[in-house]
Amino acid sequence: MEAHLVATIVFKEVFTRYGAPRVLVSDRGRNFMSKLVSALCEMFDIIRHHTSAYHPQTNATCERLNSTLEQIPRAYVNEHQQNWPSILSAAMMAIRMSPATQSTGFSPFFMLFGKEMNLPVDTSLIPKTSMGMDAQCFFEQLLQSLTVAKEIAGSNMKIAQEKSKKRHDIKAKEPTFIVGDWVLLKNMRTKKGISLKLMHKHIGPYYISGLGPNFTYRLIDCKTQIPLKDLINASRIKKYVKPEPVRLEN
């Protein structure tokens, strides 16, 4: 997917339909890092945030949804795996109408439109226009339900986040790396023809030359003195103990 296609879809399918967001989070793919996408965000006054290299947890909400979305076509795809694009629309409909029981308590569709999605079983229960329901009263009820839903969803989301944080904090430890530390970097790339199982888990050593936001670091190769282009998250590095020089005694 080229940069111009990403920019076109974001503009036509998101900005013109729902309005421009305040913040846009993406990974560090070239199509998202392009000058074209950056110019589009600058035009709409959108703040850009990028995930650190090989750390998808930064964009966990999107990655988790992608994981769910992959499972649905797997159950319905044909033996040649050629019909998966036609399944996506129905899969997205199922996701949009499903309540987020672990966070907001409401479906994404309800959070956006203030009402649940109409399904075939529901259409027969919709009041006929001949019943004379006042339009202004209807919209007032719609706005009221949307406001209440957002308040409840915000409260539910906060509770869910607090529970998640407590579970995380039980085992989590704040990184203690400082500038000048020698570290090893978790190897995330596999050369063609090389088995992942037999590769060294970490490469290096590197030394930390600078600190970034949210426990990210700038690394420089100790041998070549070439800095890495991207910030590295603390979860991918571990301390390296410099070998002591060998002393020969007569």
Side-chain angles (χ1 to χ4, degrees):
M1 185 177 291
E2 300 296 332
H4 74 277
L5 183 56
V6 171
T8 300
I9 291 176
V10 168
F11 176 73
K12 288 186 175 181
E13 301 297 332
V14 181
F15 294 177
T16 58
R17 183 173 298 180
Y18 306 107
R22 292 191 300 272
V23 179
L24 180 62
V25 181
S26 69
D27 59 29
R28 306 186 74 85
R30 292 183 179 180
N31 45 6
F32 296 117
M33 299 285 285
S34 70
K35 293 181 179 179
L36 180 59
V37 175
S38 297
L40 181 64
C41 290
E42 184 177 353
M43 183 187 303
F44 284 89
D45 195 24
I46 299 170
I47 300 173
R48 296 294 308 277
H49 286 320
H50 300 105
T51 63
S52 52
Y54 296 101
H55 192 254
Q57 293 90 331
T58 308
N59 199 11
T61 303
C62 179
E63 297 295 341
R64 184 65 186 86
L65 179 59
N66 287 341
S67 176
T68 302
L69 189 58
E70 288 175 359
Q71 297 174 17
I72 299 175
R74 188 182 302 141
Y76 296 98
V77 72
N78 59 29
E79 58 179 336
H80 301 294
Q81 299 184 348
Q82 296 174 338
N83 66 329
W84 65 265
S86 62
I87 301 173
L88 290 181
S89 296
M92 289 304 302
M93 181 181 181
I95 292 173
R96 289 166 182 153
M97 62 177 284
S98 300
T101 57
Q102 299 298 320
S103 54
T104 63
F106 295 93
S107 67
F109 189 92
F110 188 90
M111 291 299 301
L112 186 60
F113 297 106
K115 62 185 290 293
E116 293 296 351
M117 183 185 296
N118 289 333
L119 301 176
V121 70
D122 299 325
T123 54
S124 60
L125 303 178
I126 297 177
K128 303 297 186 293
T129 55
S130 58
M131 298 180 68
M133 184 176 185
D134 183 73
Q136 184 176 357
C137 179
F138 171 78
F139 283 112
E140 287 179 356
Q141 292 177 356
L142 180 63
L143 292 175
Q144 183 179 6
S145 65
L146 182 57
T147 302
V148 172
K150 287 186 175 180
E151 291 177 354
I152 297 175
S155 177
N156 291 341
M157 180 71 77
K158 186 177 180 179
I159 294 173
Q161 289 174 343
E162 289 175 352
K163 289 181 179 179
S164 178
K165 185 177 184 302
K166 287 181 180 179
R167 291 195 298 268
H168 177 269
D169 291 346
I170 292 175
K171 297 182 179 180
K173 294 182 179 180
E174 189 170 303
T176 57
F177 301 112
I178 60 174
V179 173
D181 278 352
W182 283 41
V183 296
L184 293 176
L185 176 63
K186 188 174 182 180
N187 191 8
M188 307 297 292
R189 296 183 178 180
T190 306
K191 293 182 180 179
K192 188 175 181 179
I194 302 298
S195 171
L196 178 62
K197 294 181 179 180
L198 301 179
M199 284 179 54
H200 292 293
K201 298 291 184 182
H202 293 82
I203 56 176
Y206 298 84
Y207 68 87
I208 298 176
S209 63
L211 307 179
N214 302 318
F215 304 116
T216 56
Y217 304 88
R218 296 192 181 279
L219 304 184
I220 295 180
D221 193 309
C222 293
K223 296 179 181 178
T224 64
Q225 296 301 307
I226 298 176
L228 296 184
K229 181 180 179 181
D230 299 325
L231 290 169
I232 304 300
N233 190 272
S235 63
R236 289 189 59 210
I237 60 178
K238 70 176 184 178
K239 286 191 175 183
Y240 174 76
V241 180
K242 300 180 185 179
E244 294 291 337
V246 178
R247 296 179 181 180
L248 301 177
E249 298 180 357
N250 293 331

